[in-house]
Amino acid sequence: MTTDTDTAADVFEEHRPVLLGVAYRMLGRLADAEDVVQDAWLRWSAADRASVREPRGYLVRVTTRLAVDRLRQIKSRGETYVGPWLPEPYVTHYTDHAGTEPDAAERAVLADSVSLALLVVLESLSPLERAVFVLREAFGYPYAEIAAMLDRGEAAVRQLAGRARKHVEERRPRYDVDPARRRDLTERFLTAAAGGDLEGLMSLLAPDVRLVGDSGGKARAPLRVLESADKVGRFILGATRKGGVSGASLRFLEVNGAPAVLILSGGEPDAVFQVEVAEGLIQVVHIIRNPDKLRSLAAV
């Protein structure tokens, strides 16, 4: 016999991927996003669902408000992060509810909206600006619906959207999003690093390349951003000699909408490696080593 609780769970599970997508883009932390979605489920299971005409809109509204509250709490704590900060890596597989792949244009939008580069920029927005930007730019909600979700006037929401978009456009770098090109450069980079080929490595790096290593002070990684091909190349070779790429197993996967490499040591996640590419050269190297951010990848 199907119960009301079963029906509520089925409806919620249908929309869970969208809710997690909203919460993750809002928070940049998968564990926090999952907590928010779980709280949304508790609200949904206790709600008067007979009065809800559009479950998806209701659930997105609840999730967004919970994420705004969580983001405000995080910012109010004023926690100091050790070293550069990057979002928690999020393994992405874009399919709709029918199990079909979106077209190339839709996929590019989805990938861009969850990229590491964009999420870093979104960290500097206010919670409300971030909510409006995510709902408008990533999910295409009309201003009127966003206003209702956030209990704000439509004019105020348009102002928030304008400020957020201007801020993002001024700070977001533009990179090549062709996954085949990024994977090719990633493979060549790793081959050169494993072979100790500094000259080959340098030929793949832009002169002003940056290496951003996120360890949270809990693993070995630079505590500041490294800049220049020479510094980045020599650091990578030094890390490889100390048991990096050559002493680990590698697994390609899609992280935050782009090719990445999961580096495993002893079968456990040790780092996520991803590059940003423009004009045929690597512009940024992202390395995530904070063990707290790698736990979700243990089962990948």
Side-chain angles (χ1 to χ4, degrees):
M1 181 177 68
T2 301
T3 67
D4 181 60
T5 301
D6 293 333
T7 303
D10 290 342
V11 171
F12 189 85
E13 288 304 312
E14 177 186 353
H15 299 297
R16 179 185 288 272
V18 172
L19 306 182
L20 186 60
V22 169
Y24 175 75
R25 287 168 175 82
M26 281 288 299
L27 298 164
R29 303 160 181 83
L30 191 55
D32 284 343
E34 289 172 340
D35 286 346
V36 162
V37 172
Q38 180 61 26
D39 288 345
W41 157 248
L42 295 176
R43 302 286 182 93
W44 172 247
S45 62
D48 177 13
R49 293 182 296 279
S51 65
V52 177
R53 289 182 297 176
E54 216 291 292
R56 173 171 168 146
Y58 175 90
L59 289 168
V60 170
R61 180 171 71 251
V62 169
T63 299
T64 300
R65 291 183 176 184
L66 289 169
V68 167
D69 290 343
R70 178 67 65 96
L71 196 55
R72 284 172 172 159
Q73 292 169 8
I74 292 169
K75 288 182 177 291
S76 68
R77 290 199 298 261
E79 298 171 353
T80 301
Y81 196 80
V82 179
W85 179 91
L86 289 170
E88 183 176 346
Y90 180 30
V91 178
T92 46
H93 301 288
Y94 295 119
T95 57
D96 63 21
H97 294 311
T100 57
E101 291 285 344
D103 63 29
E106 292 173 327
R107 186 178 177 83
V109 170
L110 288 166
D112 184 60
S113 74
V114 78
S115 70
L116 296 182
L118 176 61
L119 291 178
V120 168
V121 175
L122 294 188
E123 279 292 295
S124 58
L125 297 179
S126 73
L128 280 178
E129 287 173 341
R130 189 163 181 169
V132 171
F133 184 90
V134 167
L135 292 172
R136 179 66 180 173
E137 302 298 326
F139 293 93
Y141 278 98
Y143 288 115
E145 287 190 39
I146 298 173
M149 289 180 187
L150 298 176
D151 196 21
R152 294 289 190 280
E154 186 174 342
V157 165
R158 287 180 180 273
Q159 288 184 334
L160 286 167
R163 286 203 303 269
R165 191 180 302 111
K166 182 175 184 292
H167 181 94
V168 170
E169 290 301 318
E170 289 175 348
R171 291 163 177 78
R172 177 169 58 177
R174 295 296 180 181
Y175 299 121
D176 185 344
V177 297
D178 182 355
R181 189 170 298 138
R182 290 176 73 170
R183 173 154 181 161
D184 175 64
L185 278 172
T186 300
E187 291 177 338
R188 290 162 61 191
F189 183 98
L190 294 172
T191 298
D197 180 5
L198 179 59
E199 183 177 346
L201 203 57
M202 297 278 285
S203 70
L204 304 174
L205 302 174
D208 57 350
V209 64
R210 300 164 61 245
L211 184 146
V212 183
D214 179 337
S215 68
K218 299 178 180 181
R220 290 179 61 87
L223 294 179
R224 58 183 179 81
V225 177
L226 300 184
E227 299 184 14
S228 84
D230 182 67
K231 289 181 181 178
V232 171
R234 292 185 185 280
F235 170 80
I236 291 294
L237 286 189
T240 302
R241 293 190 190 103
K242 292 177 182 177
V245 175
S246 62
S249 59
L250 309 179
R251 183 178 304 163
F252 269 90
L253 66 167
E254 183 182 278
V255 167
N256 293 75
V261 175
L262 174 62
I263 302 174
L264 301 120
S265 179
E268 296 297 322
D270 182 76
V272 167
F273 174 93
Q274 189 180 75
V275 300
E276 303 284 3
V277 174
E279 299 177 355
L281 294 172
I282 294 172
Q283 307 290 329
V284 182
V285 176
H286 289 132
I287 301 177
I288 302 173
R289 295 208 65 210
N290 185 336
D292 296 339
K293 296 184 178 182
L294 301 176
R295 288 178 185 147
S296 63
L297 301 178
V300 172

